[in-house]
């Protein structure tokens, strides 16, 4: 069952990455821990992100990305996550995600487009986690957002590699706990 679900998730991540000509950004982690982390993404461009827990139920983060393959524009986003359901054995983690993204061409408040959605995480093992974000933002093309799907593998407690599409162009990523 887990192997089949992992294969489906991988296929969806590849499709999401291939279908997205947007600039690079990062996928916030619903399963954030007690330590802040830095993220580096690579795909259509390069992105950097920083996320820090405020307490066990809330985190605050931001990312900056620049495209150089399909889109040469830059983007920035800020986001706040609030824990709705803490994951565990056979249970997903679910967070409310609220934020704003800049660099788009849609409805803006001070240059930023508002976005809201949910961040999900499901740990298959202590090392392997599937994450998905469903985010809506108000843009010139309607209500869309930087949704995505990624598979993360923890090489150590301080280092995780990711593969997937995050709605902004990243395919490969590294996350460093600091």
């Amino acid at each position: 069952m887990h192997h089949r679900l992992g294969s489906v998730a991988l296929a969806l991540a590849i499709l999401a990455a291939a279908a997205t000509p947007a600039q690079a950004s990062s996928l916030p982690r619903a399963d954030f821990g007690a330590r802040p982390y830095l993220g580096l993404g690579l795909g259509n461009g390069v992105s950097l992100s920083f996320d820090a827990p405020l307490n066990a139920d809330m985190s605050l983060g931001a990312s900056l990305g620049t495209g150089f393959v399909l889109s040469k524009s830059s983007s920035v986003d800020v986001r706040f996550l609030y824990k709705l359901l803490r994951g565990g054995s056979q249970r997903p983690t679910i967070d409310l995600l609220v934020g704003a993204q800049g660099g788009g061409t849609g409805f803006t408040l001070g240059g930023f487009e508002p976005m809201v959605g949910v961040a999900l995480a499901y740990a298959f093992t202590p090392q392997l986690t599937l994450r998905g974000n469903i985010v809506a933002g108000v843009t010139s093309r309607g209500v869309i957002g930087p949704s995505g799907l990624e598979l993360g593998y923890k090489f150590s407690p301080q280092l995780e590699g990711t593969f997937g599409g995050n709605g902004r162009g990243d395919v490969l990523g590294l996350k460093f706990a600091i």
Side-chain angles (χ1 to χ4, degrees):
M1 172 70 174
H2 291 307
H3 181 269
R4 185 175 23 206
L5 186 59
S7 298
V8 169
L10 184 59
L12 288 173
I14 291 169
L15 286 173
T20 307
Q23 61 271 22
S25 185
S26 67
L27 187 69
R29 290 177 41 167
D31 55 332
F32 62 86
R35 297 171 64 180
Y37 66 91
L38 290 171
L40 173 66
L42 183 63
N44 171 48
V46 176
S47 68
L48 296 171
S49 65
F50 177 75
D51 288 275
L54 301 174
N55 61 36
D57 293 327
M58 296 183 284
S59 80
L60 190 60
S63 70
L64 173 66
T66 184
F68 56 78
V69 178
L70 300 173
S71 170
K72 299 196 183 331
S73 62
S74 296
S75 69
V76 63
D77 70 62
V78 293
R79 66 274 183 134
F80 170 79
L81 279 84
Y82 180 77
K83 189 84 53 215
L84 298 174
L85 177 65
R86 191 169 309 283
S89 177
Q90 305 295 316
R91 283 188 10 201
T93 297
I94 302 174
D95 291 359
L96 171 67
L97 188 152
V98 178
Q101 56 189 346
T105 59
F107 171 75
T108 64
L109 296 171
F112 283 86
E113 299 168 347
M115 60 183 181
V116 64
V118 293
L120 310 160
Y122 184 83
F124 295 109
T125 69
Q127 290 80 28
L128 189 65
T129 302
L130 177 66
R131 294 188 190 93
N133 288 354
I134 303 166
V135 181
V138 180
T139 73
S140 60
R141 296 177 308 261
V143 179
I144 61 170
S147 301
L149 188 66
E150 76 178 10
L151 197 56
Y153 183 80
K154 289 183 186 162
F155 297 105
S156 73
Q158 293 81 26
L159 178 65
E160 179 183 61
T162 62
F163 176 77
N166 66 6
R168 293 290 184 115
D170 287 350
V171 177
L172 299 174
L174 287 174
K175 296 180 181 180
F176 308 90
I178 53 175

